[in-house]
Amino acid sequence: MAGLKPRREAFFLPGSAAGGRFCLLTHAVDPVGTLIFVHPFAEEMNKSRRMVALAAEAFATRGWSTLQVDLTGCGDSAGDFGDASWDLWIQDCRDAWSWVTTHLKGAVALWGMRGGALVLADWLRSGGVAAPLLLWQPVSNGRQHLTQFLRLKGAAEMLADADAKASMEAVRASLKAGESVDVAGYRLSSDLARGMESATLGLQNGYPAPVVALELGPPEREEVSPALRVLIDRWVGAGIRCRAQAVVGPAFWQTQEIELCPALIEASLLALEEFA
């Protein structure tokens, strides 16, 4: 198998009322299992594409295929971002799992990045599924994540010499009233905002599969953030086999130019050895 490159296959996953979900399957050369990838929120998804593609190629050389699913209203999937809801995204995860377990052989693991980790956690708590979990820079609190996104609108209003605080209050009021709002080129529905705001990165006690969380930072920071450490300690106390690791590298999901972090891929390959 040495020297062979992984094959990629693009298709649409049927079954959603909103239309097909675009999928990109990177086939392992000598498969032992499949990772289902759930991407970050909004523009972070686009900034992460290159890193995810390189990681999928590396995983394929170790026997792991990767199914990348563009959630409803995102990327090349059907529907507009403004039509997306948290429940639809959870259904996308459910459908991806069903497709993989029906069409592919071997173990199945889950890979979530940033806000995608929140979607996976909500689905896992409601779906009766347990699988090894690889988390890239996971968001632990949906409300904080939503607030950071909404601040983009406040920043734009500030540049336009408008009242940023009043603008943020108006945005919150519109969402609470069931209306959609435009933020940084994305139309955010009240349904999606409400789902994200209530989401937390939690797993049921005794979750029976291993969990590895990788967090990027500068060279001088040798430990993961306090927030992630608190989460991991809580999971360990709940009987979950998990660990967190700090990796040196840029925050590629938010940099102006496309950035890469080979060290993150190397750390992920070591995590996959725990999943086999």
Side-chain angles (χ1 to χ4, degrees):
M1 299 294 179
L4 292 180
K5 292 186 176 181
R7 177 173 60 90
R8 291 193 178 93
E9 175 187 359
F11 62 95
F12 281 91
L13 183 67
S16 171
R21 282 66 50 88
F22 177 79
C23 295
L24 182 63
L25 178 61
T26 302
H27 290 271
V29 176
D30 189 12
V32 299
T34 302
L35 282 160
I36 298 173
F37 176 71
V38 180
H39 58 73
F41 182 68
E43 193 60 23
E44 290 187 358
M45 171 189 182
N46 296 324
K47 294 286 188 178
S48 304
R49 288 280 202 189
R50 181 59 179 158
M51 265 296 294
V52 172
L54 291 176
E57 289 182 0
F59 297 165
T61 66
R62 303 295 179 88
W64 286 90
S65 301
T66 298
L67 180 69
Q68 298 171 237
V69 184
D70 288 359
L71 300 175
T72 297
C74 301
D76 294 313
S77 287
D80 295 324
F81 190 86
D83 301 323
S85 72
W86 202 254
D87 287 342
L88 280 175
W89 285 359
I90 290 175
Q91 183 61 47
D92 293 341
C93 294
R94 187 176 295 118
D95 290 345
W97 175 271
S98 178
W99 188 90
V100 167
T101 54
T102 299
H103 293 87
L104 301 177
K105 296 180 180 179
V108 182
L110 304 171
W111 171 22
M113 179 177 173
R114 301 282 292 150
L118 290 174
V119 181
L120 278 176
D122 266 11
W123 168 57
L124 287 171
R125 288 197 300 269
S126 64
V129 167
L133 194 56
L134 173 64
L135 303 176
W136 275 14
Q137 203 73 22
V139 172
S140 59
N141 186 297
R143 181 176 178 80
Q144 291 179 357
H145 199 44
L146 177 64
T147 297
Q148 290 169 357
F149 179 66
L150 295 179
R151 282 175 182 160
L152 296 175
K153 185 173 181 64
E157 297 289 349
M158 219 182 308
L159 290 174
D161 295 325
D163 188 335
K165 182 178 180 180
S167 174
M168 284 291 290
E169 291 175 351
V171 168
R172 289 283 189 184
S174 295
L175 291 172
K176 189 174 181 179
E179 301 171 4
S180 297
V181 297
D182 292 312
V183 182
Y186 291 87
R187 188 149 187 82
L188 177 69
S189 72
S190 60
D191 283 345
L192 182 53
R194 185 166 51 250
M196 175 176 287
E197 194 165 36
S198 63
T200 58
L201 190 59
L203 296 171
Q204 69 262 32
N205 289 350
Y207 186 76
V211 181
V212 176
L214 304 176
E215 190 175 67
L216 292 177
E220 61 271 17
R221 197 184 82 186
E222 298 180 355
E223 298 293 332
V224 297
S225 65
L228 182 54
R229 174 48 55 197
V230 168
L231 178 65
I232 292 296
D233 289 346
R234 184 185 307 137
W235 283 350
V236 170
I240 300 173
R241 180 157 55 99
C242 59
R243 67 176 178 89
Q245 178 182 343
V247 179
V248 175
F252 58 86
W253 58 93
Q254 62 183 19
T255 53
Q256 191 68 27
E257 302 295 330
I258 299 299
E259 297 268 10
L260 301 179
C261 181
L264 180 59
I265 296 176
E266 289 301 317
S268 300
L269 289 171
L270 292 176
L272 292 183
E273 294 179 4
E274 302 174 33
F275 296 172

